[in-house]
Amino acid sequence: MKAALEPIAVFSDFDGTVTTKDTTVLLLELFGNPAWLDIEERMLAGEISEAEGMSAEFALINTSWEEAIGAILNEIHLDSTFPGFIAWLGEAGVPITILSGGVEEISRGLLKKHGIEELEVYANRLHVENNRWTLIPSDRPKIKGLCNHCKTFSVLESQQAGYRTVYIGDGFTDRCPAGKADIIFAKDDLAAYCELNSIEFHCFRDFTDIRIQLERLISHIRFDKKITGKDA
Ligand SMILES: [Mg+2]
């Protein structure tokens, strides 16, 4: 019975999950050089850490911030079902936090373009000088120190505060936090990783899929507002 009373906290990756295309990949394709593909391969193979790989990839970008953010805002869109999803969570009193392996300034820029300004976003930061880019690792605490932004810390912190955690993601930096979360929604590379490692997960194509599946779970795992009885 205790599990049925636990509140829920939702965490979502940003690039390729909330967005239709990975913002870092677009920047590297437009303003980097092909060396990023080798770095990516070594990172995925575990030869170098995410912290080393992503920092090296950002160092390949050669453009101004204005040109880069202009291209991102023009070419990358949010999943059209995401605004409705966060509104639904808000009505249910369920907190959602974006945990991004990318750059906070970029994710906030895209969210703002779609009228979303109040969302909690944890990500890395950025320094651009004379068209040279430096990724500044997130100042959130890290568990192992292998990633610029340790997403897993936020999931564990929430669990320790008594929340049942939902994690939504699609890629490499989602593997570690998804392995710790209570309920996982995965697509693309993350879904393949979960399958390969026998990690139980739910498939999704968009946030409406997730909403429908969470609504089924509500009968077993109640949302905050139903626990307090204010809106039950
Ligand atoms: Mg992603």
Side-chain angles (χ1 to χ4, degrees):
M1 291 299 290
K2 182 177 179 295
L5 296 175
E6 285 173 334
I8 291 178
V10 176
F11 296 93
S12 178
D13 171 50
F14 187 72
D15 286 291
T17 299
V18 173
T19 67
T20 53
K21 182 178 171 81
D22 190 300
T23 57
T24 302
V25 170
L26 179 74
L27 288 175
L28 290 165
E29 287 174 348
L30 292 179
F31 309 113
N33 71 56
W36 80 269
L37 292 166
D38 295 328
I39 297 170
E40 189 80 4
E41 203 169 292
R42 292 180 63 205
M43 192 166 68
L44 293 174
E47 293 172 16
I48 55 174
S49 69
E50 187 272 351
E52 294 170 312
M54 283 290 283
S55 297
E57 288 180 1
F58 268 82
L60 296 174
I61 298 172
N62 184 358
T63 191
S64 67
W65 164 252
E66 290 74 17
E67 189 170 16
I69 193 68
I72 286 169
L73 293 178
N74 272 337
E75 297 191 30
I76 293 186
H77 306 283
L78 295 195
D79 181 322
S80 62
T81 62
F82 182 68
F85 179 72
I86 59 172
W88 172 70
L89 288 179
E91 287 170 15
V94 175
I96 176 169
T97 305
I98 298 295
L99 299 178
S100 173
V103 172
E104 182 175 337
E105 291 89 335
I106 291 172
S107 50
R108 286 203 185 281
L110 271 167
L111 290 167
K112 186 177 180 182
K113 182 186 172 187
H114 291 82
I116 302 169
E117 298 197 52
E118 301 301 318
L119 203 54
E120 190 85 79
V121 176
Y122 294 145
N124 302 303
R125 303 300 300 266
L126 184 68
H127 179 71
V128 182
E129 188 170 347
N130 297 327
N131 289 0
R132 305 310 305 187
W133 288 46
T134 305
L135 189 68
I136 301 169
S138 166
D139 58 8
R140 296 277 293 162
K142 294 174 172 54
I143 294 172
K144 292 182 180 173
L146 297 175
C147 293
N148 286 301
H149 173 208
C150 178
K151 299 180 177 187
T152 304
F153 175 82
S154 295
V155 172
L156 295 180
E157 179 186 51
S158 184
Q159 288 172 337
Q160 284 163 9
Y163 285 86
R164 194 160 180 81
T165 52
V166 175
Y167 193 88
I168 307 165
D170 76 321
F172 182 69
T173 62
D174 303 312
R175 293 178 180 185
C176 185
K180 303 290 186 212
D182 299 297
I183 301 169
I184 304 160
F185 289 94
K187 66 178 179 180
D188 301 337
D189 289 349
L190 182 64
Y193 173 82
C194 289
E195 267 185 10
L196 195 65
N197 291 278
S198 303
I199 298 170
E200 189 179 331
F201 71 100
H202 304 273
C203 292
F204 75 99
R205 288 164 303 176
D206 60 28
F207 286 88
T208 298
D209 290 340
I210 297 170
R211 174 177 172 165
I212 289 167
Q213 294 183 72
L214 278 178
E215 281 174 336
R216 278 210 302 272
L217 293 169
I218 290 173
S219 61
H220 305 291
I221 306 164
R222 296 181 182 180
F223 279 8
D224 270 353
K225 69 171 187 178
K226 294 190 177 178
I227 293 167
T228 62
K230 286 178 185 169
D231 301 295

